[in-house]
């Protein structure tokens, strides 16, 4: 069913379960390293391979990360929590169960406010957080052969256990209601705000493309005015902000079509297809009792003291929402300007550039225009470009002091990105300094006047605007390195129009 038609008849209810891989040096219950991209099955040990007699030990830094995130999400920190065994068929877990937290999570009852742009202006939605709990990640299964990369049609499967046991935090929202046709945007805004929050805490790199942040999107719809919610589906492991939005939208359309045809929505997990923007059925969705949870007998409970919790609270940085409000006031930004910074994921980069001495307006312009364009061309995140805020600030300073024009500054940025060194070294190596001395400029001006007699005559006749053509000729002759203002002054003086 078309989206607008679906929303006219049905009301959506959202729920998001987000997994965050913590950036600890070792795994959740053993000392194996966690570096991304290592050769398969090289970061394993008897504990994470579940060999007989091996015993898990809780990673204190993972607990610390969980508490700090809970505090940032306005949660209550439980004085007592324990780990349970979640039993299920796990082909990529050597134990064939997952150690998680079930009925006694570390953090409960929080919230996160998110802002969505609407035609009537920004609108704030409060997303209530039910729990944040600790668990371990699974390994990675690859299905070889076949056209889809899935198990059906594959010739065989291989398993890499490097990821098995990496610390995970799962953030579970309460049902989100009242979003109406903004439901996909609310889901995306929540995922983006949570990503920025986690990044600000420094507990994960939250790289969705590498799997260190993954979203399970739950959607149900019910006829408008109905007192009961509909049956939900869960779209698993959605790995980009755009896909979170598309997954919500497509599931609303799919479920509306099912109900409109007189059929029932089945409670199931689904898999989002990036190429089509749709999801396909995975398996029927289990209830909690199907996992046969029971306390893990090998792990002691986690009991953070009030003193430790307050020590961790004191380490919280300025959180993204507060930073945006401060920056907007300090830089005198409009709603549109702030939104552009947020959408480009450039706030921290611009702020760091300003901290290096650059004016905020020039820093925003360079990051949002030239550098964003290059990031798009290279298909990387803005922060992944090989240029630092300090280097950007230096380029801006060279323009301000007259050493570079804006055009030359773009060439310097190109050189820095190409690995040619610091901005000053690129200027020197490429010979990019602005030509401003009268001797060199005078010769270029004389050549421009001689080559453009019609324009020169117009200037002599009082049409000063015609000097623009002569300035352009000077700039072309000097490869854009002439001081345009001084060149204009010399042109007008030589033609008696000054």
């Amino acid at each position: 069913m078309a989206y607008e038609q679906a929303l006219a008849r049905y009301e959506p209810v959202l729920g998001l379960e987000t997994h965050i891989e913590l950036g600890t040096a070792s795994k959740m219950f053993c000392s194996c390293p966690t570096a991304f991209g290592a050769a398969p099955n090289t970061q394993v040990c008897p504990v994470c391979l579940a060999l007989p007699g091996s015993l898990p030990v809780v990673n204190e830094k993972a607990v610390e990360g969980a508490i700090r995130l809970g505090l940032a999400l306005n949660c209550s920190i439980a004085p007592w929590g324990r780990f349970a065994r979640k039993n299920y068929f796990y082909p990529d877990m050597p134990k064939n169960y997952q150690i998680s937290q079930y009925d006694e999570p570390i953090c409960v009852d929080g919230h996160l406010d998110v802002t969505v742009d609407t035609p009537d202006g920004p609108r704030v939605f409060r997303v209530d957080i039910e729990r944040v709990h600790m668990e371990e990640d699974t390994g990675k299964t690859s299905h070889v052969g076949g056209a889809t990369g899935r198990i059906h049609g594959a010739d065989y499967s291989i398993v890499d256990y490097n990821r098995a046991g990496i610390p995970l935090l799962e953030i579970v929202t309460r049902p989100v209601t009242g979003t109406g046709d903004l439901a996909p945007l609310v889901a995306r805004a929540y995922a983006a705000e949570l990503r920025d929050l986690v990044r600000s805490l420094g507990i994960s790199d939250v790289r969705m493309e590498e799997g260190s942040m993954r979203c399970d999107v739950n959607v149900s719809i019910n006829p408008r005015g109905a007192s009961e919610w509909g049956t939900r589906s869960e779209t698993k492991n959605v790995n980009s902000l755009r896909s979170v939005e598309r997954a919500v939208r497509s599931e609303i359309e799919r479920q509306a079509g099912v109900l409109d045809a007189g059929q029932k929505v089945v409670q199931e997990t689904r898999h989002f297809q990036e190429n089509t923007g749709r999801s396909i059925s995975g398996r029927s969705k289990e209830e909690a009792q199907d996992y046969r949870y029971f306390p893990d007998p090998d792990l002691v409970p986690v009991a953070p003291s009030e003193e430790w919790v307050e020590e961790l609270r004191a380490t919280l940085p300025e959180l993204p929402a507060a930073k945006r409000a401060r920056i907007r006031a300090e830089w005198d930004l409009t709603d549109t300007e702030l939104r552009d910074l947020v959408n480009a994921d450039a706030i921290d980069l611009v702020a760091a550039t300003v901290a290096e001495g650059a004016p905020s307006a020039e820093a925003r312009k360079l990051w949002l225009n030239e550098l964003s364009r290059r990031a798009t061309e290279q298909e990387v995140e803005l922060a992944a470009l090989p240029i630092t805020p300090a280097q950007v600030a230096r380029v801006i300073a060279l323009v301000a002091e007259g050493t570079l024009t804006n055009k030359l500054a773009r060439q310097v940025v190109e050189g820095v990105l190409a690995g040619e060194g610091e901005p000053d070294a690129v200027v020197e190596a490429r010979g990019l300094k602005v030509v401003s001395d009268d001797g060199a400029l005078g010769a270029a001006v004389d050549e421009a006047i001689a080559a453009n007699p019609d324009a020169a005559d117009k200037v002599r006749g009082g049409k000063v605007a015609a000097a623009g053509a002569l300035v352009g000729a000077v700039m072309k002759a000097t490869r854009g390195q002439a001081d345009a203002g001084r060149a204009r002054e010399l042109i007008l003086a030589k033609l008696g129009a000054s």
Side-chain angles (χ1 to χ4, degrees):
M1 184 181 294
Y3 185 70
E4 291 74 17
Q5 184 182 358
L7 267 296
R9 300 180 58 179
Y10 299 98
E11 181 71 24
V13 178
L14 303 177
L16 291 108
E17 302 170 16
T18 307
H19 290 86
I20 303 293
E21 251 186 24
L22 293 179
T24 53
S26 58
K27 292 185 179 181
M28 185 72 218
F29 302 111
C30 65
S31 59
C32 286
T34 58
F36 179 79
N41 296 310
T42 58
Q43 299 183 161
V44 293
C45 73
V47 174
C48 56
L49 289 178
L51 298 184
S54 60
L55 292 174
V57 177
V58 175
N59 186 329
E60 182 180 1
K61 292 297 284 187
V63 178
E64 178 182 301
I67 294 173
R68 294 180 73 230
L69 178 58
L71 292 171
L73 288 171
N74 306 289
C75 290
S76 298
I77 308 303
W80 174 276
R82 60 182 174 178
F83 289 97
R85 292 185 180 182
K86 181 181 180 182
N87 295 274
Y88 184 66
F89 174 63
Y90 285 108
D92 42 15
M93 285 294 282
K95 296 189 292 288
N96 205 30
Y97 63 82
Q98 181 188 38
I99 301 177
S100 182
Q101 289 187 307
Y102 172 48
D103 55 343
E104 295 178 288
I106 188 73
C107 312
V108 295
D109 299 331
H111 67 265
L112 183 63
D113 291 334
V114 302
T115 303
V116 174
D117 289 319
T118 75
D120 299 322
R123 184 176 171 188
V124 177
F125 290 86
R126 172 156 291 185
V127 178
D128 289 322
I129 307 297
E130 179 180 295
R131 57 192 279 148
V132 178
H133 66 260
M134 297 179 287
E135 58 188 22
E136 59 180 340
D137 209 346
T138 60
K140 180 181 179 181
T141 303
S142 300
H143 306 293
V144 182
T148 65
R150 305 191 65 80
I151 192 169
H152 299 292
D155 296 327
Y156 59 91
S157 299
I158 53 178
V159 184
D160 178 7
Y161 289 123
N162 280 352
R163 196 175 67 185
I166 285 182
L168 275 185
L169 298 183
E170 182 173 354
I171 303 96
V172 182
T173 73
R174 289 199 167 90
V176 184
T177 61
T179 59
D181 62 344
L182 297 175
L185 297 178
V186 171
R188 177 175 182 152
Y190 167 79
E193 187 72 14
L194 181 60
R195 180 197 62 178
D196 292 347
L197 182 67
V198 171
R199 185 181 291 157
S200 74
L201 295 172
I203 59 174
S204 172
D205 60 16
V206 283
R207 294 185 182 276
M208 299 187 78
E209 72 280 4
E210 293 182 359
S212 55
M213 175 175 170
R214 312 189 290 272
C215 294
D216 297 341
V217 178
N218 292 268
V219 176
S220 69
I221 60 174
N222 52 275
R224 288 192 171 275
S227 58
E228 294 185 4
W229 293 336
T231 302
R232 68 183 173 91
S233 66
E234 180 181 11
T235 305
K236 298 287 289 184
N237 294 331
V238 184
N239 62 1
S240 74
L241 299 181
R242 177 172 177 264
S243 293
V244 168
E245 178 182 342
R246 295 170 74 205
V248 172
R249 185 184 183 97
S250 67
E251 192 58 15
I252 290 172
E253 293 172 343
R254 185 192 71 83
Q255 292 187 20
V258 170
L259 296 178
D260 199 54
Q263 301 172 358
K264 292 184 178 179
V265 174
V266 177
Q267 182 168 312
E268 62 181 348
T269 62
R270 300 183 65 83
H271 301 284
F272 187 72
Q273 308 295 296
E274 294 285 348
N275 57 336
T276 64
R278 301 287 174 181
S279 62
I280 59 175
S281 179
R283 56 178 170 80
S284 60
K285 177 62 178 173
E286 294 77 11
E287 301 291 349
Q289 62 267 22
D290 295 322
Y291 292 117
R292 304 186 310 282
Y293 285 100
F294 65 87
D296 192 304
D298 293 333
L299 289 165
V300 297
V302 176
S305 66
E306 290 186 16
E307 292 77 14
W308 189 35
V309 171
E310 291 309 309
E311 286 176 10
L312 294 177
R313 191 191 303 275
T315 69
L316 297 183
E318 182 181 33
L319 300 182
K323 175 180 274 190
R324 289 194 298 270
R326 174 180 60 78
I327 282 176
R328 178 176 179 175
E330 288 180 357
W331 298 353
D332 193 25
L333 301 179
T334 64
D335 287 340
T336 301
E337 289 169 337
L338 181 62
R339 184 183 65 239
D340 289 344
L341 278 173
V342 172
N343 290 343
D345 202 12
I347 285 184
D348 289 341
L349 293 169
V350 175
T353 306
V354 172
E356 294 288 344
S360 62
E362 282 74 10
R364 285 191 294 113
K365 181 179 178 181
L366 195 47
W367 280 108
L368 293 181
N369 295 334
E370 179 67 13
L371 289 166
S372 287
R373 179 181 65 80
R374 291 182 178 275
T376 300
E377 290 174 351
Q378 298 177 30
E379 298 183 345
V380 299
E381 294 181 0
L382 194 59
L385 288 175
I387 189 169
T388 66
Q391 290 169 328
V392 174
R394 180 55 184 158
V395 172
I396 292 170
L398 289 170
V399 174
E401 66 191 35
T403 301
L404 297 175
T405 63
N406 287 327
K407 182 177 180 180
L408 294 174
R410 290 193 290 272
Q411 294 183 50
V412 174
V413 167
E414 178 184 69
V416 174
L417 293 174
E420 296 174 18
E422 294 296 315
D424 290 274
V426 174
V427 170
E428 194 66 32
R430 292 194 176 194
L432 296 177
K433 286 185 179 180
V434 168
V435 178
S436 57
D437 64 282
D438 288 354
L441 270 183
V445 166
D446 290 339
E447 290 176 8
I449 291 172
N452 297 273
D454 291 342
D457 287 342
K458 290 178 181 178
V459 175
R460 290 190 184 97
K463 294 183 179 180
V464 177
L470 299 172
V471 173
V474 172
M475 298 303 291
K476 182 177 181 180
T478 60
R479 295 183 299 129
Q481 292 178 240
D483 182 330
R486 183 56 184 156
R488 181 182 176 83
E489 291 174 359
L490 291 174
I491 289 168
L492 296 178
K494 286 178 179 289
L495 297 177
S498 58

